[in-house]
Amino acid sequence: MTGITVIIVILVPIAFQVFMLQITQDKRHKEIKKILKRIEDKLEI
């Protein structure tokens, strides 16, 4: 039982950090897409 608890205590923060990284990367990707879209629109005009 204690071994499982130790594993959970170690893995949960790591999983949380990975999840937060994923969210920040998604935001960055959306911003980059917006910027590229603006550049594309300017080039078409």
Side-chain angles (χ1 to χ4, degrees):
M1 193 67 189
T2 53
I4 294 168
T5 308
V6 169
I7 290 169
I8 290 169
V9 167
I10 292 169
L11 286 181
V12 167
I14 294 170
F16 183 72
Q17 280 185 327
V18 168
F19 185 68
M20 292 304 288
L21 263 174
Q22 208 67 37
I23 290 173
T24 53
Q25 278 187 329
D26 282 349
K27 283 183 184 173
R28 249 186 244 134
H29 285 175
K30 283 177 185 170
E31 285 173 17
I32 291 168
K33 279 182 182 175
K34 279 183 191 172
I35 292 167
L36 287 173
K37 189 88 176 120
R38 279 193 215 131
I39 293 169
E40 201 176 8
D41 291 344
K42 283 181 183 175
L43 287 174
E44 284 176 3
I45 296 171

